Amino acid sequence: MSNLSSTPLAELDPQDEVRVVGQYYDAKTAKLVRKYGPGPRIHYHVGYYPNSETPARADDTAETIRHSIRLHQEGLLRYAAKIWGAEHRLSGKVLDVGCGLGGGSLFWAQEYGADVTAVTNAPEHAPVVEGFARECGLDGKVKALVCDANRLTVDDGPYDAAVAIESSGYFNRPQWFERLSHVIRPGGSVCIEEVFLTRPHGADVWAEYFYCKPATVQDYAAAARAAGFELVDEVDATAETQPFWDESAAWTQAVLDNDTSLSAVERRQMRISLLANQAQGAEWRAGGLQLGFLRFEKK
């Protein structure tokens, strides 16, 4: 995977950063569909692997590995729903901030009856999300909103909850929580699943590939507190999500080994992806990155 800008993300001004990240994800649409599709519920986040579940083997076919990845990505959302009490916290009006191709938005609407506003800064993703919603019979239950999460404004609040699944690493946390304080009702929740910083090398590995800047749990708690939110739940799932990187790398290797239609550019991009997935898996095992679930309540 190549960067869309030769300028490191940390050196961009905030508006350029939002633009570059939006372009980054617009450019990835077809790749996301290929690896994590078909729709309508397409996810772009890690999977959850309880001890009783075995990931796909490295010598399995790309299709077998892809099916396992999708199964465990849905498993991560089901685990999140359990620990966040989705039946009563994520069944009303929900903001899905950084919604990707809308897999999570459709999940909350289909499984819990939520009315979801799916927020994205990738303009090409909005019609895809709404198309998948229509395919699921959720027209009117899921609507896409193209905007910068740091400048979030909505006309139909207040919301019962906001959810961010591996998207908040792209946000200015203090500014984002401040904006949420205006659209989340008192007693409402902000539910975050994210990769958190535990050591500088892990942050570098994550940022180089995903074009975002991980922070510590303490950074999130401080930003939330300043905006009137309290951290009430924290769950570490680093060990249960580590197998995702083995499966992700195995899928990429299987495609490289068997898909003769790949162009030279596509093969180069996939080799970069393979190396990045292997590096991320190594950081997971070494404790250089932490995968956690946080829930904040508005006071």
Side-chain angles (χ1 to χ4, degrees):
M1 180 179 301
S2 59
N3 290 339
L4 296 178
S5 169
S6 60
T7 305
L9 189 64
E11 297 177 13
L12 295 173
D13 67 42
Q15 284 305 105
D16 282 341
E17 180 179 324
V18 171
R19 175 183 55 79
V20 168
V21 171
Q23 291 175 345
Y24 169 80
Y25 278 101
D26 271 344
K28 285 178 66 67
T29 302
K31 298 172 187 176
L32 295 177
V33 173
R34 176 178 186 175
K35 184 171 183 178
Y36 301 115
R41 283 187 356 197
I42 297 178
H43 308 291
Y44 186 44
H45 55 71
V46 302
Y48 180 76
Y49 301 75
N51 292 333
S52 60
E53 295 187 18
T54 304
R57 300 191 308 272
D59 59 352
D60 283 332
T61 66
E63 177 60 23
T64 297
I65 299 167
R66 187 186 63 81
H67 176 77
S68 180
I69 288 173
R70 284 167 53 87
L71 176 69
H72 291 96
Q73 286 175 320
E74 288 263 324
L76 181 129
L77 292 181
R78 296 188 188 282
Y79 181 65
K82 178 180 178 181
I83 62 178
W84 287 337
E87 67 279 0
H88 58 276
R89 293 195 180 99
L90 299 175
S91 58
K93 295 179 66 174
V94 174
L95 281 169
D96 182 8
V97 190
C99 66
L101 293 178
S105 300
L106 300 180
F107 178 87
W108 305 118
Q110 286 184 304
E111 303 293 329
Y112 295 95
D115 293 298
V116 184
T117 298
V119 180
T120 177
N121 72 333
E124 290 186 9
H125 286 187
V128 176
V129 172
E130 293 188 338
F132 283 149
R134 287 191 296 272
E135 184 178 335
C136 292
L138 295 171
D139 200 9
K141 292 287 285 184
V142 175
K143 64 178 182 179
L145 173 64
V146 179
C147 75
D148 174 5
N150 299 323
R151 299 172 181 267
L152 180 67
T153 58
V154 292
D155 297 326
D156 54 352
Y159 282 79
D160 298 300
V163 178
I165 303 293
E166 285 173 43
S167 59
S168 64
Y170 294 98
F171 307 156
N172 177 308
R173 263 77 60 176
Q175 190 174 352
W176 180 52
F177 275 107
E178 193 278 331
R179 293 310 309 152
L180 289 177
S181 71
H182 295 282
V183 299
I184 301 296
R185 64 168 176 80
S189 294
V190 177
C191 301
I192 296 170
E193 181 266 329
E194 191 53 81
V195 176
F196 299 105
L197 170 66
T198 56
R199 68 178 182 181
H201 180 66
D204 291 343
V205 169
W206 192 254
E208 181 179 358
Y209 187 70
F210 286 108
Y211 234 90
C212 73
K213 299 172 288 189
T216 66
V217 172
Q218 291 74 23
D219 291 331
Y220 275 80
R225 190 180 312 111
F229 293 89
E230 179 183 2
L231 178 60
V232 292
D233 287 313
E234 178 184 352
V235 176
D236 188 313
T238 309
E240 292 85 358
T241 52
Q242 190 277 324
F244 171 82
W245 300 110
D246 298 329
E247 286 202 327
S248 185
W251 179 88
T252 304
Q253 187 65 64
V255 173
L256 283 168
D257 290 344
N258 296 288
D259 190 343
T260 58
S261 70
L262 293 174
S263 68
V265 171
E266 289 172 327
R267 295 189 71 84
R268 179 180 181 276
Q269 290 174 334
M270 293 196 78
R271 285 195 292 269
I272 293 171
S273 176
L274 177 61
L275 291 172
N277 282 182
Q278 291 169 340
Q280 288 147 5
E283 283 302 310
W284 239 253
R285 287 187 290 272
L289 291 167
Q290 175 188 354
L291 191 290
F293 296 82
L294 307 180
R295 186 174 68 84
F296 300 87
E297 282 188 359
K298 184 177 178 182
K299 298 177 183 177

